[in-house]
Amino acid sequence: MLYRKVFLYFFYLSLFFSSGKIHGQHSFEDIRSTYDKKKENDITALKGINRYIQKAKLENNLVEQIQGYRDATFYSKDKRLKINYADSAIVTAQRADDKELISTVYLLKGSLYYFYYKNYQSALAEYLKAYQYSKDSKDDYLKYKIVYQMGLVKSYLGYYSEGIEHFNECISYFEPKSKEKLESGATRNVERGYLNSLHQIAVCYRNIKDYKKADSIIDAGLRFSKIDEFSSEKAYLTKCKGISEYHDKNYNSAIILLQKSLPILNKNDDFYWSSVSEFYIGKSYLGLGKEDLAIKQFEKVDSIFQKRQFIVPELFENYNFLIKYYQNRKDSEKELEYSKKLLKADSILNRDFKYLSEKIHKDYDKQILEESKTKLETRNNWGFGTILILFSILAIVALLAWKYYKNGKQIKLKYLELEDKLKQQNKPTSLLYENISSYGKSVLSEDVFVDLQNKLKEFETSEGFKENGLTIDRLANIFHTNKSYLSQYINDVKGINFSKYLSTLRINYITRLMYEDPYYLQLKVQGLADECGIGSRQNFSDLFQEINGIRPTDFIKQRKKELEEQGDISITSYES
């Protein structure tokens, strides 16, 4: 707080002493030349920027005022000040009533939320505003910046194939632009856009396990003629190279490259990639058989999560390593601690993912198709513009067809994985009282534990879980026990809470029926939900996909197709 007061004091003091020299004595280009070669987050640039903004205000030049605020977001070190400057830019752009400018500054604010806070919900909200204002824009650079940011969100959500499409679009735009003769600032922006797009598309390819493609893209980025001028972008590509070395089992090389990238990632306060880098250093130590060093790395990753409340699915394994490590050492206190942290991380991620997935598909993807359709319907002549729109729609249809094909392959793979699981007929293992957590023993006596074990076994065998509206209170009453005992038993033995336990029993039950009896393949989703005790059609579909990794409608289609190919049944197509 004291730092901010001192900063603001000197900020206004500098304006007071410089204001008399601003008007009419220096051009905007002259003032900007005093700081535009400085590095990002270099607060020494702010003195020149303050002069720039003051001159723009005195001349009532809204465009230059916005440029000053944008520069301030780049050179300010305090991320809260960056957001404040972005807000000032938005207010000024709205006064100017220029849609392209408004779109640009909303995009800027979204990028700040994304990069400095990793607040994806706030970032997406700003991106969608930027998209709304950019619809009629003729500024291609602005459009591709929005495409890039949407690609980032889709990549974070795990829609890697869609992310690849976005980043390929960006590369197709930025790469040739980087070779054109532009103003120095514009050239640097497109070069940065090109390198960042290479980095993100490499991340997507790695996540779909196309390591060969990812490696070739990383190498192309590191061979870029001006790569040494872009320290941040080089660090991100070096980080990617380190992860590739890990996958190639070159563990020592992976550690060296990841450690080389970390100082810049930390300097940029990019805790997303810092945590991922620390995690892969840990996995590399495991590959070298240095478990104690690996655990220290995994604990670093946990400390980042605790501080930032941010995690990605890729880092869930971090907690599995820690839980297993302390489990093997019979340290039940640490084991329980990291188990709770894993549940907390899962809760945060599920909340974030659900919101983002709904918003990006509802407010962005669908709008693109709707806008093309609307424009077509309002045109009465077959001019060049109409033909262009038709070609665009055909391209979108082709793209959707390709995505449908790719999605079909993914569904097939998920179905085969589930089928393999169903064929294995794994019997549940029973946990002995001696092996439950120390906390569990403090809550449950051995007699209570054995009693609940027998009653839950009978509950599962008799399919008591099919009762609609079943709650933990009701089941505790049926068992003549209390809710706390039952909850603790399920948490310790099953490793999940009561709600997840009940949902898993129901979904596993109905999945096996659907696989073994063709009758159930002809039921609608609500009928399947009723059969296993789940009241809501939507809740059933969500739980089925969460537990089985595939939607019930897709499972039914795949199973029907399989049976028809075997000649076992001939049934009509499923209607959801």
Side-chain angles (χ1 to χ4, degrees), residues 58 62 65 74 80 95 123 125 127 166 228 259 266 297 312 447-448 480 498 503 548 552-553 575:
L58 288 170
L62 299 180
Q65 199 174 324
F74 184 79
R80 290 168 299 178
R95 281 175 56 206
Y127 294 154
H166 283 290
D228 291 327
Q259 288 178 336
N266 291 332
Q297 289 299 130
V312 288
D447 288 343
V448 170
H480 302 294
F498 175 77
S503 298
N548 290 331
T553 50
E575 293 181 2

PDB file of all heavy atoms in Angstrom, residues 58 62 65 74 80 95 123 125 127 166 228 259 266 297 312 447-448 480 498 503 548 552-553 575:
ATOM      1  N   LEU A  58      -4.152  17.289 -23.223  1.00  0.00           N
ATOM      2  CA  LEU A  58      -4.184  18.727 -23.489  1.00  0.00           C
ATOM      3  C   LEU A  58      -4.703  19.016 -24.896  1.00  0.00           C
ATOM      4  O   LEU A  58      -5.379  20.012 -25.130  1.00  0.00           O
ATOM      5  CB  LEU A  58      -2.785  19.321 -23.310  1.00  0.00           C
ATOM      6  CG  LEU A  58      -2.286  19.434 -21.855  1.00  0.00           C
ATOM      7  CD1 LEU A  58      -0.808  19.796 -21.829  1.00  0.00           C
ATOM      8  CD2 LEU A  58      -3.109  20.463 -21.087  1.00  0.00           C
ATOM      9  N   LEU A  62      -7.874  11.641 -28.429  1.00  0.00           N
ATOM     10  CA  LEU A  62      -8.279  10.406 -27.760  1.00  0.00           C
ATOM     11  C   LEU A  62      -7.485   9.195 -28.248  1.00  0.00           C
ATOM     12  O   LEU A  62      -7.162   8.292 -27.472  1.00  0.00           O
ATOM     13  CB  LEU A  62      -9.779  10.172 -27.970  1.00  0.00           C
ATOM     14  CG  LEU A  62     -10.712  11.252 -27.403  1.00  0.00           C
ATOM     15  CD1 LEU A  62     -12.163  10.891 -27.693  1.00  0.00           C
ATOM     16  CD2 LEU A  62     -10.504  11.420 -25.909  1.00  0.00           C
ATOM     17  N   GLN A  65      -4.162   9.245 -26.641  1.00  0.00           N
ATOM     18  CA  GLN A  65      -4.350   8.994 -25.206  1.00  0.00           C
ATOM     19  C   GLN A  65      -4.460   7.486 -24.956  1.00  0.00           C
ATOM     20  O   GLN A  65      -3.848   6.950 -24.028  1.00  0.00           O
ATOM     21  CB  GLN A  65      -5.625   9.702 -24.737  1.00  0.00           C
ATOM     22  CG  GLN A  65      -5.699   9.902 -23.228  1.00  0.00           C
ATOM     23  CD  GLN A  65      -6.915  10.733 -22.840  1.00  0.00           C
ATOM     24  OE1 GLN A  65      -7.305  11.652 -23.555  1.00  0.00           O
ATOM     25  NE2 GLN A  65      -7.518  10.405 -21.717  1.00  0.00           N
ATOM     26  N   PHE A  74       2.044  -2.003 -20.755  1.00  0.00           N
ATOM     27  CA  PHE A  74       3.208  -2.814 -21.150  1.00  0.00           C
ATOM     28  C   PHE A  74       4.392  -2.582 -20.215  1.00  0.00           C
ATOM     29  O   PHE A  74       5.096  -3.519 -19.832  1.00  0.00           O
ATOM     30  CB  PHE A  74       3.599  -2.485 -22.595  1.00  0.00           C
ATOM     31  CG  PHE A  74       4.720  -3.340 -23.129  1.00  0.00           C
ATOM     32  CD1 PHE A  74       4.477  -4.631 -23.572  1.00  0.00           C
ATOM     33  CD2 PHE A  74       6.011  -2.855 -23.202  1.00  0.00           C
ATOM     34  CE1 PHE A  74       5.505  -5.424 -24.065  1.00  0.00           C
ATOM     35  CE2 PHE A  74       7.044  -3.632 -23.697  1.00  0.00           C
ATOM     36  CZ  PHE A  74       6.795  -4.923 -24.131  1.00  0.00           C
ATOM     37  N   ARG A  80      -1.732  -4.693 -10.976  1.00  0.00           N
ATOM     38  CA  ARG A  80      -2.974  -3.956 -10.681  1.00  0.00           C
ATOM     39  C   ARG A  80      -3.009  -2.639 -11.453  1.00  0.00           C
ATOM     40  O   ARG A  80      -4.049  -2.211 -11.946  1.00  0.00           O
ATOM     41  CB  ARG A  80      -3.064  -3.698  -9.182  1.00  0.00           C
ATOM     42  CG  ARG A  80      -3.329  -4.962  -8.358  1.00  0.00           C
ATOM     43  CD  ARG A  80      -3.125  -4.695  -6.878  1.00  0.00           C
ATOM     44  NE  ARG A  80      -1.764  -4.292  -6.580  1.00  0.00           N
ATOM     45  CZ  ARG A  80      -1.322  -3.961  -5.374  1.00  0.00           C
ATOM     46  NH1 ARG A  80      -2.166  -3.969  -4.360  1.00  0.00           N
ATOM     47  NH2 ARG A  80      -0.069  -3.616  -5.176  1.00  0.00           N
ATOM     48  N   ARG A  95     -15.426   6.915 -25.333  1.00  0.00           N
ATOM     49  CA  ARG A  95     -15.653   8.337 -25.639  1.00  0.00           C
ATOM     50  C   ARG A  95     -15.403   8.604 -27.118  1.00  0.00           C
ATOM     51  O   ARG A  95     -16.102   9.406 -27.754  1.00  0.00           O
ATOM     52  CB  ARG A  95     -14.721   9.210 -24.797  1.00  0.00           C
ATOM     53  CG  ARG A  95     -15.184   9.407 -23.358  1.00  0.00           C
ATOM     54  CD  ARG A  95     -14.150  10.166 -22.554  1.00  0.00           C
ATOM     55  NE  ARG A  95     -13.820  11.440 -23.179  1.00  0.00           N
ATOM     56  CZ  ARG A  95     -12.668  12.084 -23.024  1.00  0.00           C
ATOM     57  NH1 ARG A  95     -11.722  11.557 -22.263  1.00  0.00           N
ATOM     58  NH2 ARG A  95     -12.457  13.247 -23.618  1.00  0.00           N
ATOM     59  N   ALA A 123     -10.793 -13.134 -18.280  1.00  0.00           N
ATOM     60  CA  ALA A 123     -10.159 -12.954 -19.590  1.00  0.00           C
ATOM     61  C   ALA A 123     -11.155 -13.235 -20.710  1.00  0.00           C
ATOM     62  O   ALA A 123     -11.285 -12.447 -21.655  1.00  0.00           O
ATOM     63  CB  ALA A 123      -8.950 -13.879 -19.723  1.00  0.00           C
ATOM     64  N   ALA A 125     -14.397 -13.113 -20.650  1.00  0.00           N
ATOM     65  CA  ALA A 125     -15.435 -12.078 -20.695  1.00  0.00           C
ATOM     66  C   ALA A 125     -14.968 -10.878 -21.514  1.00  0.00           C
ATOM     67  O   ALA A 125     -15.730 -10.320 -22.318  1.00  0.00           O
ATOM     68  CB  ALA A 125     -15.799 -11.639 -19.275  1.00  0.00           C
ATOM     69  N   TYR A 127     -12.506 -10.943 -23.837  1.00  0.00           N
ATOM     70  CA  TYR A 127     -12.316 -11.385 -25.229  1.00  0.00           C
ATOM     71  C   TYR A 127     -13.629 -11.354 -25.996  1.00  0.00           C
ATOM     72  O   TYR A 127     -13.677 -10.970 -27.172  1.00  0.00           O
ATOM     73  CB  TYR A 127     -11.750 -12.812 -25.277  1.00  0.00           C
ATOM     74  CG  TYR A 127     -10.360 -12.973 -24.743  1.00  0.00           C
ATOM     75  CD1 TYR A 127      -9.925 -14.194 -24.232  1.00  0.00           C
ATOM     76  CD2 TYR A 127      -9.446 -11.911 -24.749  1.00  0.00           C
ATOM     77  CE1 TYR A 127      -8.648 -14.358 -23.734  1.00  0.00           C
ATOM     78  CE2 TYR A 127      -8.177 -12.069 -24.251  1.00  0.00           C
ATOM     79  CZ  TYR A 127      -7.773 -13.288 -23.745  1.00  0.00           C
ATOM     80  OH  TYR A 127      -6.511 -13.451 -23.261  1.00  0.00           O
ATOM     81  N   HIS A 166      -7.021 -22.714 -34.672  1.00  0.00           N
ATOM     82  CA  HIS A 166      -6.854 -21.279 -34.401  1.00  0.00           C
ATOM     83  C   HIS A 166      -5.407 -20.847 -34.608  1.00  0.00           C
ATOM     84  O   HIS A 166      -5.141 -19.830 -35.266  1.00  0.00           O
ATOM     85  CB  HIS A 166      -7.283 -20.960 -32.962  1.00  0.00           C
ATOM     86  CG  HIS A 166      -8.765 -20.910 -32.758  1.00  0.00           C
ATOM     87  ND1 HIS A 166      -9.548 -19.907 -33.275  1.00  0.00           N
ATOM     88  CD2 HIS A 166      -9.617 -21.723 -32.093  1.00  0.00           C
ATOM     89  CE1 HIS A 166     -10.808 -20.099 -32.937  1.00  0.00           C
ATOM     90  NE2 HIS A 166     -10.877 -21.206 -32.212  1.00  0.00           N
ATOM     91  N   ASP A 228      16.849 -14.321 -30.732  1.00  0.00           N
ATOM     92  CA  ASP A 228      17.581 -13.801 -29.573  1.00  0.00           C
ATOM     93  C   ASP A 228      17.076 -12.430 -29.119  1.00  0.00           C
ATOM     94  O   ASP A 228      17.379 -11.991 -28.009  1.00  0.00           O
ATOM     95  CB  ASP A 228      19.082 -13.730 -29.873  1.00  0.00           C
ATOM     96  CG  ASP A 228      19.703 -15.118 -29.985  1.00  0.00           C
ATOM     97  OD1 ASP A 228      19.228 -16.023 -29.264  1.00  0.00           O
ATOM     98  OD2 ASP A 228      20.635 -15.311 -30.782  1.00  0.00           O
ATOM     99  N   GLN A 259      15.396 -25.669 -16.544  1.00  0.00           N
ATOM    100  CA  GLN A 259      15.991 -24.734 -15.582  1.00  0.00           C
ATOM    101  C   GLN A 259      16.463 -23.462 -16.268  1.00  0.00           C
ATOM    102  O   GLN A 259      16.434 -22.376 -15.673  1.00  0.00           O
ATOM    103  CB  GLN A 259      17.153 -25.416 -14.850  1.00  0.00           C
ATOM    104  CG  GLN A 259      16.695 -26.475 -13.855  1.00  0.00           C
ATOM    105  CD  GLN A 259      17.832 -27.183 -13.164  1.00  0.00           C
ATOM    106  OE1 GLN A 259      18.956 -27.235 -13.685  1.00  0.00           O
ATOM    107  NE2 GLN A 259      17.572 -27.759 -11.997  1.00  0.00           N
ATOM    108  N   ASN A 266       9.689 -16.972 -14.341  1.00  0.00           N
ATOM    109  CA  ASN A 266       9.459 -16.401 -13.008  1.00  0.00           C
ATOM    110  C   ASN A 266       9.469 -14.875 -13.046  1.00  0.00           C
ATOM    111  O   ASN A 266       8.681 -14.214 -12.375  1.00  0.00           O
ATOM    112  CB  ASN A 266      10.520 -16.913 -12.028  1.00  0.00           C
ATOM    113  CG  ASN A 266      10.342 -18.391 -11.724  1.00  0.00           C
ATOM    114  OD1 ASN A 266       9.228 -18.920 -11.776  1.00  0.00           O
ATOM    115  ND2 ASN A 266      11.421 -19.078 -11.421  1.00  0.00           N
ATOM    116  N   GLN A 297      10.629 -31.057  -6.032  1.00  0.00           N
ATOM    117  CA  GLN A 297      10.042 -30.349  -7.175  1.00  0.00           C
ATOM    118  C   GLN A 297       8.519 -30.380  -7.108  1.00  0.00           C
ATOM    119  O   GLN A 297       7.856 -29.371  -7.334  1.00  0.00           O
ATOM    120  CB  GLN A 297      10.513 -30.988  -8.483  1.00  0.00           C
ATOM    121  CG  GLN A 297      11.966 -30.747  -8.829  1.00  0.00           C
ATOM    122  CD  GLN A 297      12.283 -29.277  -9.006  1.00  0.00           C
ATOM    123  OE1 GLN A 297      13.235 -28.771  -8.432  1.00  0.00           O
ATOM    124  NE2 GLN A 297      11.490 -28.592  -9.807  1.00  0.00           N
ATOM    125  N   VAL A 312      -3.677 -26.845 -13.730  1.00  0.00           N
ATOM    126  CA  VAL A 312      -4.170 -27.408 -14.986  1.00  0.00           C
ATOM    127  C   VAL A 312      -4.212 -28.934 -14.832  1.00  0.00           C
ATOM    128  O   VAL A 312      -3.490 -29.488 -13.993  1.00  0.00           O
ATOM    129  CB  VAL A 312      -3.268 -27.018 -16.177  1.00  0.00           C
ATOM    130  CG1 VAL A 312      -3.451 -25.557 -16.518  1.00  0.00           C
ATOM    131  CG2 VAL A 312      -1.803 -27.301 -15.889  1.00  0.00           C
ATOM    132  N   ASP A 447     -15.051 -52.371  14.919  1.00  0.00           N
ATOM    133  CA  ASP A 447     -16.374 -53.016  14.839  1.00  0.00           C
ATOM    134  C   ASP A 447     -17.292 -52.242  13.896  1.00  0.00           C
ATOM    135  O   ASP A 447     -17.999 -52.833  13.069  1.00  0.00           O
ATOM    136  CB  ASP A 447     -17.007 -53.091  16.234  1.00  0.00           C
ATOM    137  CG  ASP A 447     -16.315 -54.119  17.120  1.00  0.00           C
ATOM    138  OD1 ASP A 447     -15.595 -54.976  16.567  1.00  0.00           O
ATOM    139  OD2 ASP A 447     -16.487 -54.058  18.354  1.00  0.00           O
ATOM    140  N   VAL A 448     -17.291 -50.918  14.026  1.00  0.00           N
ATOM    141  CA  VAL A 448     -18.122 -50.084  13.155  1.00  0.00           C
ATOM    142  C   VAL A 448     -17.654 -50.218  11.706  1.00  0.00           C
ATOM    143  O   VAL A 448     -18.466 -50.319  10.777  1.00  0.00           O
ATOM    144  CB  VAL A 448     -18.071 -48.606  13.604  1.00  0.00           C
ATOM    145  CG1 VAL A 448     -18.730 -47.702  12.574  1.00  0.00           C
ATOM    146  CG2 VAL A 448     -18.737 -48.439  14.959  1.00  0.00           C
ATOM    147  N   HIS A 480     -28.689 -48.112  10.253  1.00  0.00           N
ATOM    148  CA  HIS A 480     -28.713 -47.902  11.710  1.00  0.00           C
ATOM    149  C   HIS A 480     -27.364 -47.401  12.221  1.00  0.00           C
ATOM    150  O   HIS A 480     -26.813 -47.901  13.213  1.00  0.00           O
ATOM    151  CB  HIS A 480     -29.106 -49.197  12.447  1.00  0.00           C
ATOM    152  CG  HIS A 480     -30.432 -49.735  12.025  1.00  0.00           C
ATOM    153  ND1 HIS A 480     -31.630 -49.073  12.267  1.00  0.00           N
ATOM    154  CD2 HIS A 480     -30.758 -50.860  11.317  1.00  0.00           C
ATOM    155  CE1 HIS A 480     -32.632 -49.781  11.761  1.00  0.00           C
ATOM    156  NE2 HIS A 480     -32.129 -50.870  11.169  1.00  0.00           N
ATOM    157  N   PHE A 498     -19.516 -39.359  -0.754  1.00  0.00           N
ATOM    158  CA  PHE A 498     -20.714 -40.173  -0.934  1.00  0.00           C
ATOM    159  C   PHE A 498     -21.380 -39.920  -2.282  1.00  0.00           C
ATOM    160  O   PHE A 498     -21.795 -40.857  -2.974  1.00  0.00           O
ATOM    161  CB  PHE A 498     -21.715 -39.886   0.196  1.00  0.00           C
ATOM    162  CG  PHE A 498     -23.039 -40.606   0.020  1.00  0.00           C
ATOM    163  CD1 PHE A 498     -23.154 -41.960   0.306  1.00  0.00           C
ATOM    164  CD2 PHE A 498     -24.149 -39.929  -0.465  1.00  0.00           C
ATOM    165  CE1 PHE A 498     -24.370 -42.618   0.124  1.00  0.00           C
ATOM    166  CE2 PHE A 498     -25.359 -40.583  -0.640  1.00  0.00           C
ATOM    167  CZ  PHE A 498     -25.469 -41.932  -0.349  1.00  0.00           C
ATOM    168  N   SER A 503     -22.947 -41.971  -7.528  1.00  0.00           N
ATOM    169  CA  SER A 503     -22.999 -41.730  -8.977  1.00  0.00           C
ATOM    170  C   SER A 503     -22.222 -42.802  -9.730  1.00  0.00           C
ATOM    171  O   SER A 503     -22.663 -43.297 -10.779  1.00  0.00           O
ATOM    172  CB  SER A 503     -22.420 -40.353  -9.307  1.00  0.00           C
ATOM    173  OG  SER A 503     -23.168 -39.332  -8.691  1.00  0.00           O
ATOM    174  N   ASN A 548     -17.286 -42.150 -17.593  1.00  0.00           N
ATOM    175  CA  ASN A 548     -16.894 -43.045 -18.691  1.00  0.00           C
ATOM    176  C   ASN A 548     -16.074 -42.370 -19.784  1.00  0.00           C
ATOM    177  O   ASN A 548     -15.506 -43.041 -20.642  1.00  0.00           O
ATOM    178  CB  ASN A 548     -18.140 -43.679 -19.323  1.00  0.00           C
ATOM    179  CG  ASN A 548     -18.798 -44.692 -18.400  1.00  0.00           C
ATOM    180  OD1 ASN A 548     -18.128 -45.321 -17.583  1.00  0.00           O
ATOM    181  ND2 ASN A 548     -20.102 -44.855 -18.521  1.00  0.00           N
ATOM    182  N   PRO A 552     -23.497 -40.722 -23.295  1.00  0.00           N
ATOM    183  CA  PRO A 552     -24.317 -41.937 -23.442  1.00  0.00           C
ATOM    184  C   PRO A 552     -24.808 -42.142 -24.872  1.00  0.00           C
ATOM    185  O   PRO A 552     -24.856 -43.269 -25.360  1.00  0.00           O
ATOM    186  CB  PRO A 552     -25.481 -41.711 -22.467  1.00  0.00           C
ATOM    187  CG  PRO A 552     -25.476 -40.244 -22.154  1.00  0.00           C
ATOM    188  CD  PRO A 552     -24.059 -39.811 -22.278  1.00  0.00           C
ATOM    189  N   THR A 553     -25.168 -41.045 -25.561  1.00  0.00           N
ATOM    190  CA  THR A 553     -25.637 -41.189 -26.946  1.00  0.00           C
ATOM    191  C   THR A 553     -24.540 -41.754 -27.843  1.00  0.00           C
ATOM    192  O   THR A 553     -24.798 -42.588 -28.715  1.00  0.00           O
ATOM    193  CB  THR A 553     -26.087 -39.820 -27.491  1.00  0.00           C
ATOM    194  OG1 THR A 553     -25.067 -38.853 -27.233  1.00  0.00           O
ATOM    195  CG2 THR A 553     -27.368 -39.362 -26.826  1.00  0.00           C
ATOM    196  N   GLU A 575     -32.443 -42.135 -30.918  1.00  0.00           N
ATOM    197  CA  GLU A 575     -32.892 -40.742 -30.843  1.00  0.00           C
ATOM    198  C   GLU A 575     -32.728 -40.279 -29.410  1.00  0.00           C
ATOM    199  O   GLU A 575     -33.261 -40.891 -28.493  1.00  0.00           O
ATOM    200  CB  GLU A 575     -34.362 -40.623 -31.261  1.00  0.00           C
ATOM    201  CG  GLU A 575     -34.573 -40.950 -32.742  1.00  0.00           C
ATOM    202  CD  GLU A 575     -36.027 -40.801 -33.130  1.00  0.00           C
ATOM    203  OE1 GLU A 575     -36.825 -40.406 -32.260  1.00  0.00           O
ATOM    204  OE2 GLU A 575     -36.375 -41.084 -34.280  1.00  0.00           O
TER     205      GLU A 575
END
